[in-house]
Amino acid sequence: MKQWLRLCGFLLVGLFLLVGCQQDGQWYATTIKSDPDWQHGQLENGMKYHLYQKDDEAVELRFVVHAGSAQENEQQHGYAHFLEHMSFKDTTQLGQQDVWQFFERLGLSAGADINAYTSYNQTWYQLTLPDSTDLPTAFTWFRDVADGMLLKPEQVDSEIGAVMGEYRLRLPQERSIYSQVEARLRADNTSYHEVLGTKQSIQSVTPAALKDYYQRWYFPANTELVVVGDFDATTIEAQIAQHFSSWLGQGQKVANIEPIQLPSQKAHALVAPEGTESALIIVKPLGEAQRLTYGDQFRSLEVDLLNHLIQARLLDRSIALASNASYVEAYADTFEGQKFSALAVGFKEKHRAEVQDFVAKELANLRDHGIGQAELAAAMASYQTNLKNHAENWKADDSWVITDSMFTSLFEPRTLMSEAEHKAVLVRFVAEMDQARVNKSLKQQLTQLLDQQATYYFMAYTKAEQSQQLAQDVQLFTQSLAKSGHALMLAKTVSVFPTPARKGKILSEQQVDDTTWVWQLSNGVEVWFQQMPETKQNAYMNWAVKAGRSQLDPALYPASELAFETLYRSGFAGLDVAAIEKVFSANNTLLTPYLNDYDNGLSIATQHDNLPFAMSALHHVLTEGKVDPVQLKQVKKQYVEDRAEYERSPWGLVLKKVNDSLIARGTFYNIWPSKTFAGVTDNDVQQVYQDLFQQQHHNRLVIVGDLQPEDITPLLRQYVANIPLAANEHERSAVVELNKAPQVLELPVSNEKSVGYLLFLSNPVSDETKVLATDVMAQDMLLRIVNQRAFQLLRGQYGLSYAPSIIGDIPDSGAYSSVIVSLNIDKKDLAKSKQAVAELLKGVQQEGITQQERDTAAKQLALDLKPMAKNGAETARFMGRYLLHGYDVEAVKNPQRFIDKVTVEVLNQQASSLMGKQSYTIEATILPKG
């Protein structure tokens, strides 16, 4: 009887396991249902559209043509891309006007709000509108893109220069290692050719040839329209029909673009650009990129988690073992229809053997013995928090994010999930990702790296001749990886910070307005709290100190460049950096330090539930920083090597020469030679920490969140008011004297065939100059205006440069300002480019800014600042900045009022101050070597 019962029990257990496996299989195979929040439609002519309503959001639009370089024949290379350029020229309905300028007058910014792109199998045109008011205008342009480009011969000819400029910029002689990896992955696809075309095809393009491609591939059934944002669905469907129903073009149906065929060769040698590091990049193909079932979504989450754990382990061990790895990145990516998991590690070439052996051994340890419970808890915290706040997070996605998800689904086998289904997969993921499951998946993924027929190894060397050692390097790496790993001493729990024994005092509290409070603390800290319901469960802080490198003893300038990395690696509160990373991850808190010339601080992002932890972390960072000599030694070693390599690089040589030519007296802006940093001591770095973090420098703490003042006051007493801050007894200011004589530099240091042209316009800033919030707004608007003029003149009219750029280097409370004109040009156009830049400056200096330009820039700035009203992180950062430097903090909450104060006269005053004839000038021409 007992035996029968035991047998029956075994049968029942087996049955349950079988049913469980079947149910698991069925769940993973569940087909994702399309998100019902999307509205899909199709016009009678075949054009499809996809609409998603999102209240109080900007309106994102994408007009997508399912044709790119893959549809070009042998005589059309680059035509898909060239045609995209012509969409901004004269068109049927918008007429004879520059499309860029047309939309800029509506307040849109070229590049950010209006742009277009071409890829292997698609071309798309995009607009970001602040609201639905100008939707008819957007549809008018899209319709012109569809069949209204005029392709005038003179405009095609004038655009050749701009397209050649993009060719020089996008396809330099020295490609980045990641660009080289992509090229190698495409190598076996004979149908693939460069999207930009060839120099010959670009320079010989004709209107008739472009028209042939245009009429063949731009037809309704080959296009889709995506619109996301705050609009009326009934109205917009009528508008779409009104603008596009009469489009009756027909063309050849585009064949489905299959994912690329991966190369048969698995090991590849690359050459890193001069001045950059060597690298090991391991790429593991994961199959066709698709997200059609619950299993697909689950696996996507799992791949991301595994990569996070691999990267975190390698970073932790790199610091613990003082490895010479300079960076570690593990990530998933999609490329031409294929999904990959990749690991990239950078290092100096002389450390290749040591770093590759380190990576192999640590991956073997992870493969054979897995992660610890503390590592998993830290990594899973973000998933658990996302699950807890899932509905809120889902609603928080802005129109750009939502648009991007639909856009991706148009070119990959992907069904967009509803919030309910997304949550259902996340619930199961969080439940199943225990230590045993994760370690099993890690073992499987890392074991596959030994299969050299299924894994790609890319070795980036600093010199071409070093590529001969590729086979040996791959063999040595895989041999080391194949060896058994050893178990590490891993923490089982996440550490915690001790609570300070003594509390501080709040001296006063003031309510400034309905949403703003200010506290004065006993240690001199001023705390500002901005109530912002839009942050939901998130909270943000900015610890802002008006003391940067300029406040230091000049002897400490080199140490300041090493301080943050050394202090981070040294740990605090009795914890090493690995433990600190885990405790921050487990508490969903991100702390980012910054050090500028005239201020420093900490930006903190956390959640309501973790605000006590974030405050505690702030306290310990500011009170318990101690330099670990071992870590300083490693930081110095890497920094000296990095600086020495940079000094030899083309850009290092250029910037050193420009800096030496600009500064006549003073060491503050010195570009210190690499050997200087070898002499930095533990005491030097500790002194930098004390001078910047542990002294009174008008310290401010800004807190932004959906909180009440009474939630904050106990935390201020417990963690902030008790931070000891010594009196600042040495108010210093940097000594800087500019060279007044004009400088002309010719620097034959480039590895490129193109020429770089830089013009620096610098002006000293008096200590007595009072800069207002209105001035800050005016400087931003001026740079927009001058950039628009440069675009129209240097690219549009003369076709000299694809992306002429006017850059403002105007530091808060700084000793001098610089405005930099930057061009990438053909060598034969150097003299013409200099004349064009002189014409640009003459227009600014003599003719001044027009009212229309002022109004356009004002609209653009107002639209760019509008999202800050809902962005807690940006609000905290800007409030900290404005409070430190004496700008009216009201400008952060109500920027429009200050923008309105910027008149044409104010702009012309700024133009005279920043770019006037009195400016000290340096003209630098960066020429090819030899």
Side-chain angles (χ1 to χ4, degrees):
M1 183 68 175
K2 290 181 181 180
Q3 289 179 342
W4 183 87
L5 287 173
R6 191 182 306 124
L7 176 61
C8 183
F10 287 149
L11 290 173
L12 287 173
V13 169
L15 179 62
F16 287 144
L17 288 173
L18 178 61
V19 171
C21 291
Q22 289 175 338
Q23 289 175 342
D24 281 349
Q26 291 173 354
W27 183 89
Y28 283 104
T30 302
T31 301
I32 297 171
K33 298 176 183 176
S34 180
D35 183 355
D37 289 337
W38 279 97
Q39 180 180 347
H40 308 278
Q42 182 172 321
L43 300 178
E44 290 184 5
N45 61 11
M47 191 187 95
K48 298 176 182 178
Y49 58 87
H50 314 276
L51 311 176
Y52 192 107
Q53 288 179 279
K54 181 78 171 176
D55 292 342
D56 300 321
E57 277 285 337
V59 179
E60 292 288 344
L61 301 100
R62 305 289 185 272
F63 183 68
V64 181
V65 182
H66 289 274
S69 63
Q71 282 67 49
E72 298 167 346
N73 62 35
E74 287 296 323
Q75 290 73 44
Q76 294 176 328
H77 286 192
Y79 283 19
H81 172 256
F82 202 110
L83 190 63
E84 167 226 304
H85 273 241
M86 297 307 298
S87 68
F88 297 95
K89 301 298 183 180
D90 290 1
T91 59
T92 301
Q93 297 185 75
L94 292 183
Q96 296 182 8
Q97 57 182 320
D98 188 293
V99 173
W100 297 107
Q101 294 181 53
F102 176 79
F103 280 106
E104 283 174 343
R105 287 194 291 271
L106 298 178
L108 276 60
S109 298
D113 299 324
I114 173 173
N115 219 326
Y117 302 89
T118 307
S119 71
Y120 180 52
N121 59 355
Q122 65 250 359
T123 306
W124 66 98
Y125 303 82
Q126 68 183 50
L127 283 168
T128 302
L129 302 178
D131 52 45
S132 60
T133 304
D134 291 311
L135 270 175
T137 306
F139 292 150
T140 297
W141 180 52
F142 283 167
R143 176 57 194 273
D144 273 348
V145 168
D147 67 347
M149 294 190 223
L150 296 181
L151 304 178
K152 294 181 177 180
E154 66 274 15
Q155 292 185 334
V156 171
D157 289 343
S158 68
E159 195 62 20
I160 289 174
V163 176
M164 286 302 301
E166 185 172 2
Y167 187 96
R168 290 191 300 270
L169 192 66
R170 307 284 189 214
L171 302 175
Q173 297 295 114
E174 291 189 310
R175 304 282 188 94
S176 73
I177 57 175
Y178 292 102
S179 177
Q180 293 179 58
V181 168
E182 290 181 358
R184 298 299 179 91
L185 291 174
R186 293 191 188 107
D188 286 5
N189 294 266
T190 55
S191 63
Y192 182 86
H193 57 264
E194 175 53 52
V195 170
L196 294 177
T198 66
K199 291 181 180 180
Q200 181 179 359
S201 66
I202 295 170
Q203 292 171 337
S204 61
V205 70
T206 65
L210 287 175
K211 188 175 182 179
D212 181 62
Y213 180 93
Y214 187 27
Q215 292 181 335
R216 183 171 186 179
W217 299 111
Y218 280 58
F219 57 93
N222 200 36
T223 60
E224 300 187 62
L225 175 67
V226 181
V227 188
V228 178
D230 194 349
F231 54 77
D232 179 77
T234 304
T235 302
I236 198 173
E237 283 200 282
Q239 291 173 336
I240 292 171
Q242 177 186 350
H243 283 83
F244 295 97
S245 291
S246 60
W247 180 23
L248 300 177
Q250 294 183 350
Q252 178 178 337
K253 182 175 175 60
V254 177
N256 291 329
I257 301 296
E258 298 295 329
I260 61 171
Q261 296 298 311
L262 297 176
S264 55
Q265 180 181 340
K266 297 301 190 291
H268 298 263
L270 315 174
V271 180
E274 185 177 4
T276 64
E277 293 186 306
S278 301
L280 160 68
I281 303 175
I282 306 172
V283 175
K284 179 70 178 71
L286 300 177
E288 183 178 356
Q290 67 175 36
R291 208 167 296 179
L292 302 174
T293 67
Y294 284 7
D296 292 337
Q297 175 67 11
F298 188 101
R299 180 58 181 158
S300 178
L301 294 172
E302 186 175 25
V303 168
D304 287 341
L305 174 63
L306 297 181
N307 280 320
H308 173 86
L309 290 166
I310 291 169
Q311 177 173 302
R313 170 65 73 84
L314 289 177
L315 286 172
D316 289 349
R317 294 290 290 164
S318 178
I319 293 174
L321 299 178
S323 162
N324 284 297
S326 57
Y327 66 84
V328 176
E329 296 175 346
Y331 55 94
D333 199 6
T334 300
F335 176 68
E336 306 292 10
Q338 293 277 5
K339 187 161 187 176
F340 300 91
S341 195
L343 172 64
V345 183
F347 43 82
K348 297 291 180 293
E349 184 60 40
K350 65 181 180 180
H351 300 308
R352 176 178 294 277
E354 176 256 308
V355 172
Q356 291 185 174
D357 188 59
F358 157 78
V359 172
K361 287 178 178 178
E362 291 303 326
L363 291 179
N365 296 341
L366 195 55
R367 176 196 66 213
D368 295 341
H369 299 280
I371 57 164
Q373 190 57 46
E375 289 175 292
L376 181 61
M380 289 300 296
S382 61
Y383 295 95
Q384 293 161 347
T385 301
N386 188 16
L387 181 58
K388 177 183 176 182
N389 304 307
H390 195 274
E392 207 167 72
N393 291 340
W394 190 267
K395 292 178 182 177
D397 282 346
D398 61 23
S399 51
W400 180 281
V401 172
I402 298 168
T403 303
D404 191 59
S405 63
M406 171 55 73
F407 179 80
T408 304
S409 75
L410 299 181
F411 306 105
E412 293 179 4
R414 178 179 297 199
T415 304
L416 299 184
M417 306 181 79
S418 66
E419 189 269 336
E421 285 196 306
H422 190 274
K423 182 177 181 179
V425 175
L426 187 57
V427 166
R428 182 148 186 162
F429 180 78
V430 170
E432 292 192 1
M433 285 296 107
D434 58 17
Q435 192 173 0
R437 167 73 182 263
V438 170
N439 283 336
K440 180 179 178 181
S441 296
L442 276 171
K443 186 176 185 68
Q444 180 181 15
Q445 178 168 321
L446 295 175
T447 299
Q448 291 172 351
L449 299 185
L450 291 170
D451 183 357
Q452 295 186 42
Q453 298 306 308
T455 302
Y456 292 89
Y457 285 89
F458 298 89
M459 300 288 185
Y461 300 94
T462 54
K463 296 180 180 179
E465 56 266 27
Q466 293 165 338
S467 62
Q468 297 176 1
Q469 64 194 57
L470 170 67
Q472 179 183 358
D473 284 335
V474 172
Q475 182 181 25
L476 289 173
F477 180 85
T478 53
Q479 286 176 347
S480 182
L481 180 62
K483 295 177 181 178
S484 297
H486 67 270
L488 305 178
M489 295 285 292
L490 301 175
K492 296 183 178 180
T493 59
V494 176
S495 304
V496 296
F497 294 139
T499 301
R502 181 182 62 83
K503 294 182 179 180
K505 296 180 181 179
I506 296 175
L507 301 183
S508 66
E509 176 181 340
Q510 177 188 359
Q511 184 169 358
V512 178
D513 55 38
D514 291 344
T515 61
T516 311
W517 285 261
V518 180
W519 291 272
Q520 298 290 339
L521 307 185
S522 54
N523 55 358
V525 175
E526 185 175 273
V527 180
W528 285 67
F529 166 52
Q530 181 64 43
Q531 203 171 54
M532 185 180 285
E534 292 83 0
T535 61
K536 305 299 183 183
Q537 77 276 5
N538 298 313
Y540 304 91
M541 296 190 291
N542 183 260
W543 173 263
V545 183
K546 195 175 182 181
R549 293 177 59 249
S550 63
Q551 296 293 318
L552 296 171
D553 183 322
L556 295 176
Y557 289 164
S560 68
E561 298 188 36
L562 308 179
F564 278 10
E565 179 67 14
T566 301
L567 290 164
Y568 162 72
R569 294 173 65 119
S570 297
F572 58 88
L575 304 179
D576 62 20
V577 66
I580 289 171
E581 287 288 347
K582 292 176 181 59
V583 70
F584 271 88
S585 295
N587 287 278
N588 288 293
T589 299
L590 177 66
L591 185 149
T592 306
Y594 59 89
L595 173 60
N596 300 317
D597 289 341
Y598 300 95
D599 56 39
N600 80 84
L602 304 164
S603 292
I604 302 175
T606 190
Q607 298 194 315
H608 290 177
D609 294 347
N610 301 117
L611 191 58
F613 166 81
M615 290 275 198
S616 176
L618 174 68
H619 178 96
H620 288 292
V621 167
L622 296 176
T623 60
E624 298 190 30
K626 300 292 183 185
V627 176
D628 181 344
V630 174
Q631 295 301 335
L632 174 59
K633 180 180 179 181
Q634 184 64 16
V635 170
K636 285 197 297 184
K637 177 183 177 184
Q638 290 187 340
Y639 203 85
V640 167
E641 292 176 351
D642 289 343
R643 180 58 68 93
E645 189 168 62
Y646 179 72
E647 289 168 354
R648 296 188 295 268
S649 72
W651 270 113
L653 294 169
V654 169
L655 294 182
K656 180 67 165 65
K657 186 65 176 179
V658 168
N659 189 76
D660 290 347
S661 300
L662 177 62
I663 307 300
R665 188 172 68 90
T667 60
F668 178 58
Y669 287 106
N670 274 9
I671 297 179
W672 299 97
S674 55
K675 60 184 180 181
T676 307
F677 300 94
V680 173
T681 68
D682 306 354
N683 290 336
D684 291 338
V685 176
Q686 196 70 45
Q687 191 63 52
V688 170
Y689 173 75
Q690 292 173 6
D691 289 353
L692 297 182
F693 279 5
Q694 297 187 313
Q695 291 184 3
Q696 294 176 353
H697 296 285
H698 309 287
N699 308 59
R700 305 286 199 279
L701 175 64
V702 178
I703 304 169
V704 180
D706 187 13
L707 303 159
Q708 297 299 322
E710 53 268 26
D711 298 329
I712 296 172
T713 50
L715 300 177
L716 296 180
R717 294 189 184 96
Q718 184 68 65
Y719 298 111
V720 183
N722 54 359
I723 296 173
L725 296 172
N728 177 21
E729 299 177 354
H730 303 285
E731 282 289 350
R732 297 185 178 92
S733 60
V735 176
V736 180
E737 182 180 329
L738 303 183
N739 191 342
K740 298 179 181 180
Q743 306 284 312
V744 178
L745 309 175
E746 289 193 356
L747 306 169
V749 298
S750 175
N751 295 315
E752 301 300 324
K753 294 181 179 179
S754 59
V755 170
Y757 177 77
L758 300 172
L759 178 63
F760 293 78
L761 303 165
S762 301
N763 287 276
V765 178
S766 170
D767 292 339
E768 299 176 359
T769 301
K770 176 66 174 176
V771 181
L772 306 175
T774 305
D775 297 317
V776 177
M777 302 289 184
Q779 291 164 0
D780 184 290
M781 291 167 61
L782 175 65
L783 290 171
R784 291 171 187 266
I785 292 167
V786 181
N787 267 294
Q788 288 163 11
R789 286 194 184 185
F791 186 90
Q792 294 158 16
L793 186 70
L794 298 165
R795 171 173 164 169
Q797 183 174 338
Y798 295 131
L800 296 169
S801 180
Y802 169 69
S805 181
I806 314 298
I807 305 162
D809 182 10
I810 312 171
D812 298 312
S813 304
Y816 76 92
S817 66
S818 288
V819 173
I820 307 155
V821 181
S822 174
L823 307 178
N824 179 279
I825 56 177
D826 193 303
K827 187 176 182 179
K828 66 180 176 57
D829 293 327
L830 179 57
K832 189 176 180 180
S833 297
K834 291 182 178 183
Q835 293 173 359
V837 170
E839 182 180 342
L840 172 70
L841 294 179
K842 180 180 178 181
V844 174
Q845 294 168 350
Q846 296 184 14
E847 299 167 15
I849 307 303
T850 67
Q851 185 66 44
Q852 185 179 60
E853 287 177 318
R854 179 264 164 212
D855 293 344
T856 295
K859 287 181 182 178
Q860 292 174 328
L861 179 56
L863 289 176
D864 285 350
L865 292 179
K866 184 179 178 181
M868 189 161 60
K870 299 180 181 180
N871 189 318
E874 285 295 283
T875 296
R877 184 173 70 87
F878 269 83
M879 285 184 68
R881 174 192 171 195
Y882 276 44
L883 287 166
L884 279 189
H885 297 286
Y887 312 144
D888 192 336
V889 75
E890 183 65 22
V892 179
K893 296 186 286 182
N894 185 10
Q896 187 64 59
R897 182 159 68 87
F898 292 81
I899 293 172
D900 291 342
K901 295 179 182 180
V902 180
T903 63
V904 169
E905 291 72 26
V906 171
L907 287 169
N908 283 322
Q909 289 170 6
Q910 287 290 337
S912 177
S913 174
L914 298 172
M915 305 176 62
K917 295 180 180 179
Q918 81 290 340
S919 301
Y920 308 154
T921 61
I922 298 177
E923 183 182 76
T925 305
I926 306 164
L927 300 165
K929 291 178 180 177

